[in-house]
mmCIF file of all heavy atoms in Angstrom:
data_model
loop_
_atom_site.group_PDB
_atom_site.id
_atom_site.type_symbol
_atom_site.label_atom_id
_atom_site.label_comp_id
_atom_site.label_asym_id
_atom_site.label_seq_id
_atom_site.Cartn_x
_atom_site.Cartn_y
_atom_site.Cartn_z
ATOM 1 N N GLU C 208 92.282 135.159 188.446
ATOM 2 C CA GLU C 208 92.944 134.862 187.175
ATOM 3 C C GLU C 208 94.338 135.460 187.131
ATOM 4 O O GLU C 208 95.304 134.823 186.707
ATOM 5 C CB GLU C 208 92.139 135.478 186.020
ATOM 6 C CG GLU C 208 91.276 134.507 185.283
ATOM 7 C CD GLU C 208 90.527 135.172 184.143
ATOM 8 O OE1 GLU C 208 91.160 135.848 183.299
ATOM 9 O OE2 GLU C 208 89.299 135.014 184.117
ATOM 10 N N ILE C 209 94.430 136.717 187.560
ATOM 11 C CA ILE C 209 95.713 137.411 187.454
ATOM 12 C C ILE C 209 96.735 136.789 188.392
ATOM 13 O O ILE C 209 97.883 136.548 188.021
ATOM 14 C CB ILE C 209 95.526 138.919 187.722
ATOM 15 C CG1 ILE C 209 94.708 139.536 186.578
ATOM 16 C CG2 ILE C 209 96.880 139.613 187.872
ATOM 17 C CD1 ILE C 209 94.342 141.000 186.796
ATOM 18 N N GLN C 210 96.343 136.506 189.621
ATOM 19 C CA GLN C 210 97.351 135.978 190.535
ATOM 20 C C GLN C 210 97.786 134.559 190.151
ATOM 21 O O GLN C 210 98.955 134.195 190.341
ATOM 22 C CB GLN C 210 96.916 136.096 192.000
ATOM 23 C CG GLN C 210 95.693 135.368 192.415
ATOM 24 C CD GLN C 210 95.198 135.879 193.789
ATOM 25 O OE1 GLN C 210 95.622 136.915 194.293
ATOM 26 N NE2 GLN C 210 94.284 135.156 194.388
ATOM 27 N N ARG C 211 96.893 133.801 189.554
ATOM 28 C CA ARG C 211 97.296 132.486 189.060
ATOM 29 C C ARG C 211 98.283 132.632 187.893
ATOM 30 O O ARG C 211 99.262 131.887 187.798
ATOM 31 C CB ARG C 211 96.065 131.702 188.604
ATOM 32 C CG ARG C 211 95.246 131.137 189.776
ATOM 33 C CD ARG C 211 93.786 130.891 189.437
ATOM 34 N NE ARG C 211 93.584 130.011 188.324
ATOM 35 C CZ ARG C 211 93.494 128.686 188.400
ATOM 36 N NH1 ARG C 211 93.577 128.098 189.571
ATOM 37 N NH2 ARG C 211 93.297 127.957 187.333
ATOM 38 N N LEU C 212 98.026 133.618 187.045
ATOM 39 C CA LEU C 212 98.924 133.867 185.910
ATOM 40 C C LEU C 212 100.322 134.271 186.389
ATOM 41 O O LEU C 212 101.337 133.791 185.876
ATOM 42 C CB LEU C 212 98.327 134.978 185.031
ATOM 43 C CG LEU C 212 99.224 135.513 183.921
ATOM 44 C CD1 LEU C 212 99.516 134.442 182.882
ATOM 45 C CD2 LEU C 212 98.589 136.740 183.256
ATOM 46 N N ILE C 213 100.373 135.169 187.369
ATOM 47 C CA ILE C 213 101.678 135.620 187.864
ATOM 48 C C ILE C 213 102.454 134.433 188.451
ATOM 49 O O ILE C 213 103.639 134.237 188.163
ATOM 50 C CB ILE C 213 101.519 136.735 188.924
ATOM 51 C CG1 ILE C 213 100.800 137.949 188.322
ATOM 52 C CG2 ILE C 213 102.884 137.150 189.488
ATOM 53 C CD1 ILE C 213 100.352 138.981 189.367
ATOM 54 N N GLY C 214 101.768 133.651 189.255
ATOM 55 C CA GLY C 214 102.428 132.500 189.868
ATOM 56 C C GLY C 214 102.961 131.519 188.828
ATOM 57 O O GLY C 214 104.120 131.088 188.897
ATOM 58 N N ARG C 215 102.128 131.168 187.851
ATOM 59 C CA ARG C 215 102.580 130.219 186.815
ATOM 60 C C ARG C 215 103.771 130.778 186.052
ATOM 61 O O ARG C 215 104.719 130.056 185.731
ATOM 62 C CB ARG C 215 101.452 129.964 185.798
ATOM 63 C CG ARG C 215 100.407 128.975 186.225
ATOM 64 C CD ARG C 215 99.605 128.450 185.022
ATOM 65 N NE ARG C 215 99.119 129.489 184.124
ATOM 66 C CZ ARG C 215 97.962 130.128 184.256
ATOM 67 N NH1 ARG C 215 97.148 129.842 185.263
ATOM 68 N NH2 ARG C 215 97.606 131.055 183.393
ATOM 69 N N SER C 216 103.722 132.074 185.762
ATOM 70 C CA SER C 216 104.797 132.679 184.963
ATOM 71 C C SER C 216 106.131 132.593 185.691
ATOM 72 O O SER C 216 107.166 132.288 185.074
ATOM 73 C CB SER C 216 104.456 134.143 184.658
ATOM 74 O OG SER C 216 103.279 134.205 183.874
ATOM 75 N N LEU C 217 106.107 132.866 186.980
ATOM 76 C CA LEU C 217 107.362 132.829 187.729
ATOM 77 C C LEU C 217 107.856 131.398 187.897
ATOM 78 O O LEU C 217 109.051 131.121 187.774
ATOM 79 C CB LEU C 217 107.180 133.507 189.093
ATOM 80 C CG LEU C 217 106.857 135.008 189.027
ATOM 81 C CD1 LEU C 217 106.525 135.532 190.414
ATOM 82 C CD2 LEU C 217 108.028 135.803 188.434
ATOM 83 N N ARG C 218 106.935 130.487 188.195
ATOM 84 C CA ARG C 218 107.361 129.091 188.385
ATOM 85 C C ARG C 218 108.009 128.525 187.117
ATOM 86 O O ARG C 218 108.836 127.616 187.182
ATOM 87 C CB ARG C 218 106.164 128.215 188.788
ATOM 88 C CG ARG C 218 105.719 128.425 190.221
ATOM 89 C CD ARG C 218 104.754 127.354 190.699
ATOM 90 N NE ARG C 218 103.512 127.314 189.960
ATOM 91 C CZ ARG C 218 102.437 128.053 190.198
ATOM 92 N NH1 ARG C 218 102.446 128.941 191.184
ATOM 93 N NH2 ARG C 218 101.345 127.925 189.480
ATOM 94 N N ALA C 219 107.625 129.095 185.944
ATOM 95 C CA ALA C 219 108.164 128.572 184.692
ATOM 96 C C ALA C 219 109.673 128.744 184.581
ATOM 97 O O ALA C 219 110.316 128.040 183.805
ATOM 98 C CB ALA C 219 107.471 129.249 183.500
ATOM 99 N N VAL C 220 110.237 129.675 185.362
ATOM 100 C CA VAL C 220 111.690 129.879 185.270
ATOM 101 C C VAL C 220 112.420 129.473 186.550
ATOM 102 O O VAL C 220 113.602 129.785 186.710
ATOM 103 C CB VAL C 220 112.043 131.348 184.909
ATOM 104 C CG1 VAL C 220 111.570 131.666 183.487
ATOM 105 C CG2 VAL C 220 111.462 132.328 185.918
ATOM 106 N N VAL C 221 111.720 128.803 187.464
ATOM 107 C CA VAL C 221 112.358 128.404 188.722
ATOM 108 C C VAL C 221 112.449 126.879 188.781
ATOM 109 O O VAL C 221 111.482 126.185 188.490
ATOM 110 C CB VAL C 221 111.557 128.931 189.934
ATOM 111 C CG1 VAL C 221 112.168 128.421 191.242
ATOM 112 C CG2 VAL C 221 111.516 130.450 189.930
#
Side-chain angles (χ1 to χ4, degrees):
Chain C
E208 259 181 52
I209 292 174
Q210 62 195 13
R211 284 155 57 88
L212 171 65
I213 300 168
R215 279 198 312 272
S216 297
L217 296 173
R218 286 193 298 275
V220 293
V221 176

